[in-house]
Amino acid sequence: MADNTNSNEVNPFQKQKNKEEMQKQLITFALMILFTIIAFVIVATGMMDSMFVTPILLILAIVQVAFQLYYFMHMKDKGHDMPAVMMYGGLGAAILTLAALGVITWW
Amino acid sequence: MSHDHSLNPETMPNEPEKATLEGKNKFIGFWFFLGGETVLFASLFGTYIALNNSTAGGPTANELFGLELVFIMTILLLTSSLTSVYAMYHMKNNDFKKMQLWLGITAILGISFLACEIYEFTHYITGYGFTFRSSAFGSAFYTLVGFHGGHVTFGLAWLIGLMIRNAKRGLNLYNAPKYYVFSLYWHFIDVIWVFIFTVVYLMGKVG
């Protein structure tokens, strides 16, 4: 392996861009923590009827996962067409699996 | 493998993880794997949802689960996801030492998460006699949550291996994709956990 010549420097424009990106990531993280707390508070206080709680919890989870995928895993960035195809392909099969296993128990 | 992939301000690409063909292939290949993992976990979730009321007279989800521990575990894993974002931020700024530092914090948070999970399982087994063989609910629960815990364990071994192996190399275009792909894996573990704490614990408490 060649000597590494790390000097902690990158071009200033890129560095600024990375910094802005990191600020977005921090906002994403704050929102995810907020959603988590909301989900736990709803369940812990029993403030809502269980008819409403389940869909709300699922929506909170889906939004959190979308943040994770699009911001933390960069699916919002350019050059992520193949990852999107893979994930949505997997998600399609996942929904079919869940539907099938759900139907055989509730039928 | 080319042997001159070292980085300096002049040669530092914006995305060191995708600057080589090998890096690009790892990136695409790993997302392919994550698509497959989605299906794997969907079948485990489907099984759990189908069987979570089949308790065979044993303890039910509502009796077993305590929200405090699950909340702590969630925060630990969610924070470790953020620390690995920090690690990738420092990778893009070509700052190897800070990257290793943040990955070290990620590893510590991951180990704490795993310790909580082991405590939780031991508590269920010794306190409630709730095991893998207690009921269909037990089997489905331990398979789903245990599989996630197994992924965390594997991820920790992977991370520690990467950090030790590359400690003296510094960041270069050969190992940048390896670190990046690990960060994707670690985020994916968190994605799965979001559904576990929602579907298994919170919905189990709601009934």
Side-chain angles (χ1 to χ4, degrees), chain A residues 1-11 13-22 25-26 29 32-37 39-45 48-51 53-54 57-62 64-65 68-69 71-75 77-80 82-84 86-87 89-95 97-98 101-102 104-106, chain B residues 1-9 11-15 18 27-28 31-32 34-36 38-39 42-47 49-51 67-68 70-71 74-75 78-82 85-86 88-89 92-97 168-172 174 180 183-188 190-192 194-195 197-199 201-203 205-207:
Chain A
M1 207 51 57
D3 306 326
N4 75 79
T5 47
N6 284 353
S7 56
N8 296 359
E9 280 174 51
V10 243
N11 88 55
F13 171 70
Q14 196 56 40
K15 197 157 188 168
Q16 184 58 31
K17 258 181 81 177
N18 291 345
K19 201 171 174 183
E20 283 164 16
E21 173 72 18
M22 197 60 227
Q25 306 277 27
L26 273 175
F29 177 71
M32 293 200 306
I33 291 280
L34 182 72
F35 288 147
T36 306
I37 291 172
F40 274 89
V41 165
I42 290 174
V43 175
T45 56
M48 258 183 268
D49 196 65
S50 66
M51 269 277 286
V53 174
T54 309
L57 290 179
L58 286 175
I59 290 167
L60 285 172
I62 289 165
Q64 258 205 64
V65 163
Q68 188 87 236
L69 285 169
Y71 283 86
F72 280 12
M73 294 167 85
H74 299 286
M75 256 170 72
D77 295 349
K78 261 189 219 158
H80 281 70
M82 269 321 262
M86 305 297 182
M87 281 318 278
L91 208 64
I95 289 168
T97 314
L98 286 169
L101 287 165
I104 55 168
T105 41
W106 286 320
Chain B
M1 199 86 43
S2 165
H3 286 272
D4 195 19
H5 278 330
S6 57
L7 300 176
N8 58 55
T11 60
M12 175 76 190
N14 295 342
E15 290 179 320
K18 278 178 275 182
F27 174 77
I28 294 287
W31 275 100
F32 195 7
L34 290 184
T38 310
V39 183
S43 57
L44 294 178
F45 272 108
T47 314
I49 293 168
L51 297 176
L67 287 182
E68 296 83 2
V70 178
F71 184 72
T74 304
I75 297 299
L78 203 58
T79 311
S80 82
S81 208
L82 180 77
V85 169
Y86 264 110
M88 289 308 107
Y89 166 68
K92 290 192 176 177
N93 282 340
N94 196 11
D95 193 336
F96 181 71
K97 278 195 181 125
K168 286 182 183 155
R169 281 175 172 167
L171 188 65
N172 54 44
Y174 166 65
Y180 186 80
S183 85
L184 287 180
Y185 178 82
W186 198 254
H187 293 313
F188 187 76
D190 203 38
V191 165
I192 298 298
V194 169
F195 282 116
F197 87 68
T198 305
V199 173
Y201 294 100
L202 293 182
M203 280 162 65
K205 268 291 177 197
V206 171

Side-chain angles (χ1 to χ4, degrees), chain B residues 12 22 104 119 124 128 143 172 185 189 205:
Chain B
M12 175 76 190
E22 192 191 349
Y119 166 77
Y124 293 159
Y128 294 86
T143 309
N172 54 44
Y185 178 82
I189 286 178
K205 268 291 177 197

Side-chain angles (χ1 to χ4, degrees), chain B residues 29-109:
Chain B
F30 199 78
W31 275 100
F32 195 7
F33 166 73
L34 290 184
E37 289 266 284
T38 310
V39 183
L40 168 79
F41 274 102
S43 57
L44 294 178
F45 272 108
T47 314
Y48 178 82
I49 293 168
L51 297 176
N52 67 352
N53 290 321
S54 314
T55 52
T60 64
N62 198 4
E63 289 162 15
L64 278 172
F65 302 150
L67 287 182
E68 296 83 2
L69 185 67
V70 178
F71 184 72
I72 294 168
M73 287 164 78
T74 304
I75 297 299
L76 283 174
L77 209 60
L78 203 58
T79 311
S80 82
S81 208
L82 180 77
T83 55
S84 70
V85 169
Y86 264 110
M88 289 308 107
Y89 166 68
H90 289 302
M91 182 181 88
K92 290 192 176 177
N93 282 340
N94 196 11
D95 193 336
F96 181 71
K97 278 195 181 125
K98 278 192 184 155
M99 180 184 82
Q100 290 278 77
L101 173 72
W102 282 102
L103 287 175
I105 298 170
T106 306
I108 291 166
L109 289 166

